[in-house]
Amino acid sequence: MNYTLNQLKIFLKIVETRSITKASEDLNLTQPAVSIQLRNFQNQFDIPLTEVIGRKIFITDFGLEIAESVENIINQVYAINYKSLSYKGLLSGRLKISVVSTGKYVMPFYLSDFIKLNPEIELLMDVTNKNRVIKSLENNEVDFALVSILPETIQVEKLDLLQNKLFLVGNSKEHAIAYTNKNFSELPLIYREKGSGTRQTMEGFIKQNSVSVLKKLTLTSNEAVKQALLAGFGYSIMPLIGIKNELQNNELQIIPVKGLPIKTVWSLIWLKGKKLSPIAVAYLNFLRQEKDKIIQEKFSWYEGY
């Protein structure tokens, strides 16, 4: 066996994404480079690690077993590096955070200065929908999660970071006002996918106000909803945090509706009773000291709505 650490990382990423294309994007490598390294790694085994059927790559049972061993090897390599840096008195290691999709407009501002102060820290931030975020927290796969709706199925501790405001938004204010004055239920509404916190909040508002929805479109990301609004597909109840530029450029409009905005809170949460790593403890201490300053410097525009 003569495999390299680079080959191990590439193989593990392919197993994770089930795609040469996605693996190359995540690793900032070309597809041919990833394919060559995968082939070189596979050639060291008599049993196939992967199978390609049509254009889709599948991981064999043997490949999954090898991937488990590869993950252990890489974790041990990281541990060696972290111990070396810790011995020098530097804060080092992995900080793993799972973030609901709209939270990508929030979390980076609460991370950048901490990472600059501690350049040896490796940040792993997964951006996905609320259900997957809670699952990763429940499985103890991450240190923290950023949510706007607290989970009901697990016990957590929290640190509130920023208020979350959701408004009815569209690209034609005049048209929407004509609708809302007549009947809010006649608006063509755009939904996020099931499992999204934004969708959960929107459905709660609709149910609470007994609004019947006659026409709706479901899209799988905040960006997709925003593009649909810009194209004039309809209206949606959206978090203010993700539409700053579009509002300031008058590309989207907030539509006044009784009962809106809906207000929740962006909170960093972690499992109750979890033994936090030194990095996680340091990050919480940083946030407690700096969060008000971050709000003032990065989110002052937010208070105008």
Side-chain angles (χ1 to χ4, degrees), residues 9 11 20-22 65 76 80 83 87 89 93 98-99 118 167 194 217 225 264 266 270 300:
K9 290 180 179 178
F11 177 65
I20 298 289
T21 301
K22 291 180 181 177
E65 290 188 22
Q76 288 300 315
I80 292 170
K83 286 176 182 178
Y87 192 76
S98 188
V99 178
N118 302 282
F167 293 87
K194 288 185 178 180
L217 174 69
V225 171
T264 60
W266 290 108
W270 61 99
S300 58

Side-chain angles (χ1 to χ4, degrees), residues 41-247:
F41 183 59
Q42 288 193 120
N43 286 342
Q44 300 181 68
F45 300 90
D46 295 329
I47 304 172
L49 302 176
T50 63
E51 293 178 328
V52 177
I53 301 176
R55 293 186 175 182
K56 191 170 183 179
I57 190 167
F58 295 87
I59 313 301
T60 66
D61 290 341
F62 178 65
L64 292 174
E65 290 188 22
I66 294 298
E68 187 175 342
S69 297
V70 166
E71 186 172 15
N72 290 333
I73 292 170
I74 291 175
N75 285 337
Q76 288 300 315
V77 171
Y78 281 127
I80 292 170
N81 293 337
Y82 299 153
K83 286 176 182 178
S84 175
L85 291 167
S86 296
Y87 192 76
K88 296 177 183 179
L90 300 173
L91 189 61
S92 62
R94 284 181 172 180
L95 180 63
K96 295 185 282 187
I97 302 177
S98 188
V99 178
V100 294
S101 56
T102 310
K104 68 188 175 203
Y105 301 108
V106 177
M107 201 68 238
F109 294 105
Y110 288 90
L111 281 164
S112 62
D113 285 346
F114 181 73
I115 297 301
K116 289 175 185 176
L117 289 170
N118 302 282
E120 303 301 335
I121 288 176
E122 180 187 2
L123 173 64
L124 299 177
M125 189 173 80
D126 181 36
V127 180
T128 183
N129 70 26
K130 175 176 170 281
N131 282 358
R132 293 177 183 174
V133 166
I134 300 306
K135 194 69 176 177
S136 65
L137 192 70
E138 189 175 18
N139 293 339
N140 200 28
E141 297 169 354
V142 295
D143 299 302
F144 301 109
L146 181 73
V147 296
S148 61
I149 302 173
L150 294 177
E152 298 178 354
T153 56
I154 54 176
Q155 290 188 314
V156 299
E157 297 181 65
K158 70 184 179 75
L159 177 65
D160 293 339
L161 299 182
L162 184 71
Q163 189 176 74
N164 184 33
K165 306 175 188 177
L166 296 97
F167 293 87
L168 181 67
V169 180
N171 75 350
S172 174
K173 187 173 182 179
E174 293 76 15
H175 186 211
I177 287 177
Y179 268 122
T180 53
N181 288 342
K182 184 179 179 182
N183 192 341
F184 177 71
S185 65
E186 294 182 20
L187 283 170
L189 290 179
I190 302 172
Y191 282 64
R192 282 286 306 277
E193 80 285 3
K194 288 185 178 180
S196 157
T198 299
R199 175 169 179 144
Q200 182 180 340
T201 303
M202 180 173 171
E203 288 181 328
F205 173 81
I206 289 171
K207 182 178 180 181
Q208 184 179 355
N209 291 274
S210 301
V211 176
S212 61
V213 179
L214 300 180
K215 181 180 179 182
K216 68 179 182 180
L217 174 69
T218 301
L219 299 173
T220 58
S221 73
N222 190 68
E223 286 300 314
V225 171
K226 188 159 61 176
Q227 293 304 316
L229 296 182
L230 291 168
F233 274 71
Y235 302 85
S236 187
I237 294 177
M238 293 192 69
L240 174 64
I241 197 71
I243 54 175
K244 174 186 176 182
N245 292 336
E246 289 75 17
L247 288 175

